Amino acid sequence: MPSLAPRIETVPASGIRRVFEQAARMQSDEADRGTEGHIAMLVIGEPDVPVAAHIGEAARRAWTEDRTDYTPNGGIAPLRAAIREKLHRENRIEADLEQIWMTIGATQALFQAMTLVLSPGDEVLVPDPGYTTFTMNAHIIGATPVPYRLEPQHGFEPDLQALEASITERTRVLVVNSPSNPLGSVFGEQTLRDLLALAKRHDLWVISDEVYEYFTYGTRHVSLASLDEDDRVFTAFSLSKTYAMTGVRVGYLVTPKGLGATMRTTQEAMISCVAEPDQWAALAAIVGDHSAVQEAREHYRANLDVAKEVLDAAGIRYLDPRGAFYLWIDMSHVTEGDVAEWALAFLQRERVAVAPGSAFGRTGEGWIRVCLAATAADLRRGLGALPAPERVAV
Ligand SMILES: Cc1ncc(COP(=O)(O)O)c(C=O)c1O
């Protein structure tokens, strides 16, 4: 067999998948033996609420009516128009239709944006801890991810001085993710303005991942592109989390102005277009009743209260999240410098699957990420099984 492109070997494997697959193996082994028990799955970022009926109906109708053709590369006209209106209303982004591109989830939006602006050897600033795909994409393109740290001593905000000091003449892009996966933190407007000013000083592109825009608690989500004055921000949005339709795979990329022709060409080569029935489902989601989104937000918030109660009672340290549906929990008192191994052992021992923080970057060593999109019972049991600091000390 011929060799693969060397840069492909450098793409790091997902540390979340390891735990997930181990849990799946435990379940299938037990099913074979007829001894299947319950595992509290707090590891994957997957909404646990059903998709709203009107969204599924729109998809089914599209299939029934044979709306199964290629569409324009950017997406069907009514969908792009509905998104333009949503961007104006919800995000305060004034975009024309040529800036809006339907993608296969935010995943493709992120990859697409990165391929437009990065060349092999370029550097891209990524949050640490941060969503794993940012780093993986950079490696696939042959670019170098340069982590910027989000740490407790800085309130999990970027240390702007350190961030600026890490910029070199090869730096081309700053990736921002708010609300954050895995932290659940939400950057305030001033932080976003500071990041944008820094990008401007160094003439960087900005890629803003806003897939959790609808899930904030007691704070407002601000879209970076609404503050952008000189066309340097790409924004990746998604329907996956908002409407609990992760497997349908619809998102969209909002580009800076003037990239319509480039997007048409690259989109044509990459995916041609998003599946047509999925686009009709997306349209129904965006223009339809949002009470399911509201209910999901309340469900995550209620789960957060349950989780905080359990952790507070045990004296376990965590970041009180303002967005997304994750809890970032300090387990450094038991992980002995290897939270990835600890998470596997914890799964085996307690039947609770959590994501090791190290899967999201070096700064995550000693921390775990717990997904709040779960049942309250699983959260109580799963978090109740976490060793408390004082119990370890004796
Ligand atoms: C921060 C972040 N960005 C992007 C994605 C990908 O979402 P999509 O399903 O839209 O591809 C995820 C999914 O977990 C995420 O957490």
Side-chain angles (χ1 to χ4, degrees), residues 35-52:
T35 58
E36 200 174 4
H38 182 69
I39 294 178
M41 292 296 274
L42 309 176
V43 61
I44 299 277
E46 173 78 52
D48 66 326
V49 293
V51 69

Side-chain angles (χ1 to χ4, degrees), residues 105-107 110 131 177 181 209 211-212 238 240-241 249:
T107 300
L110 292 167
Y131 181 53
N177 173 217
N181 174 10
D209 178 327
V211 308
Y212 297 97
S238 178
S240 289
K241 317 282 178 174
R249 312 302 305 129

Side-chain angles (χ1 to χ4, degrees), residues 162-182:
L163 177 56
E164 193 142 23
S166 68
I167 293 174
T168 73
E169 74 279 2
R170 312 216 68 159
T171 313
R172 298 272 293 151
V173 186
L174 168 65
V175 176
V176 179
N177 173 217
S178 172
S180 154
N181 174 10

Side-chain angles (χ1 to χ4, degrees), residues 116-129:
L116 291 186
V117 295
L118 284 171
S119 301
D122 284 346
E123 292 175 3
V124 44
L125 300 163
V126 296
D128 177 3

Side-chain angles (χ1 to χ4, degrees), residues 176-254:
V176 179
N177 173 217
S178 172
S180 154
N181 174 10
L183 294 175
S185 54
V186 177
F187 292 159
E189 184 166 330
Q190 192 51 50
T191 301
L192 296 174
R193 284 191 187 281
D194 290 345
L195 289 170
L196 211 46
L198 177 145
K200 191 168 180 168
R201 278 199 296 284
H202 297 274
D203 199 21
L204 306 180
W205 292 102
V206 178
I207 298 177
S208 183
D209 178 327
E210 303 184 13
V211 308
Y212 297 97
E213 61 176 324
Y214 279 90
F215 299 120
T216 56
Y217 315 104
T219 188
R220 190 172 71 86
H221 169 69
V222 178
S223 282
L224 245 178
S226 70
L227 312 172
D228 182 18
E229 283 164 359
D230 58 356
D231 283 309
R232 62 179 68 250
V233 178
F234 289 84
T235 314
F237 289 104
S238 178
L239 280 77
S240 289
K241 317 282 178 174
T242 307
Y243 303 104
M245 48 192 275
T246 53
V248 182
R249 312 302 305 129
V250 190
Y252 50 100
L253 179 65
V254 180

